[in-house]
Amino acid sequence: MCQGLWKLSETESNSYRAHAKAGETVLIHGASGGVGVAACQMARALGLRVLGTAGTPEGLELVLRNGAHQAFNHKKEGYTSKIMDATKGQGVNVIVEMLSNVNLSNDLQMLAYGGRVTVVGSRGPIEINPRDTMAKESSIIGVALPYATVEEKAECAAALFAGMDAGWLKPAVGKQYTLDMASQAHIDIIDCPGASGKMVLTM
């Protein structure tokens, strides 16, 4: 998540990868997973209005406990309309997208003018209408930690450690497995109805 909000571009210092600013609204898809929870905590600490999605009642509760102002069930029909209603029709400024092959087309329609989608995860292709980006002069920004510079990684690490020291960044630990249960953990993460914190394999 640090990459989505904190990672610096190579050409601009002292700015976030998503150019997120206090007072803006951020939508975090899959906010009940390990990365999503961290995103909620960081965005709230940065002064953003935080909207999150999850797929189970437990996930929605987790999202709200970890900084989101509102949470929406992305498995329910019409949830995008509820998100737009929450912004009074203005749309969101930043979207942190964990599953862009499913959501990107809808994301572009939910953005405010000048909005940005940071693509953190994708499991395949998706068809979008480029006019959706033209109408709002929006941006799609790909984010991949392996391509971060040494300086970018150092800045992300400093931000994360500062958050942990201050107490507002706290990992949400989900189900824990012993090493001999690794195969079961693999099955569970594929078949789970919705993420709830970060799965942990103990050794």
Side-chain angles (χ1 to χ4, degrees), residues 82-153:
K82 292 181 179 179
I83 291 172
M84 289 300 293
D85 289 343
T87 69
K88 295 182 171 56
Q90 297 301 305
V92 296
N93 304 106
V94 176
I95 297 178
V96 179
E97 184 52 70
M98 314 291 182
L99 196 62
S100 56
N101 58 295
V102 172
N103 300 315
L104 186 57
S105 181
N106 287 333
D107 289 344
L108 295 176
Q109 296 175 47
M110 288 191 289
L111 287 175
Y113 183 82
R116 294 82 70 197
V117 180
T118 57
V119 176
V120 177
S122 181
R123 296 183 182 178
I126 184 173
E127 181 176 329
I128 65 169
N129 185 346
R131 288 184 179 275
D132 289 333
T133 66
M134 296 163 63
K136 298 176 182 178
E137 295 195 337
S138 57
S139 303
I140 303 170
I141 305 165
V143 180
L145 185 59
Y147 301 111
T149 65
V150 173
E151 291 79 10
E152 289 170 344
K153 291 178 181 178

Side-chain angles (χ1 to χ4, degrees), residues 29 52-58 60 70-80 82-83 193:
H29 275 299
T53 75
T56 65
E58 296 79 13
L60 293 170
Q70 290 179 264
F72 305 86
N73 190 328
H74 54 224
K75 291 186 177 179
K76 288 191 175 180
E77 187 175 350
Y79 83 95
T80 57
K82 292 181 179 179
I83 291 172

Side-chain angles (χ1 to χ4, degrees), residues 2 6 8 14-16 150-160:
C2 180
W6 282 97
L8 300 177
N14 300 320
S15 65
Y16 304 125
V150 173
E151 291 79 10
E152 289 170 344
K153 291 178 181 178
E155 182 160 350
C156 282
L160 294 174

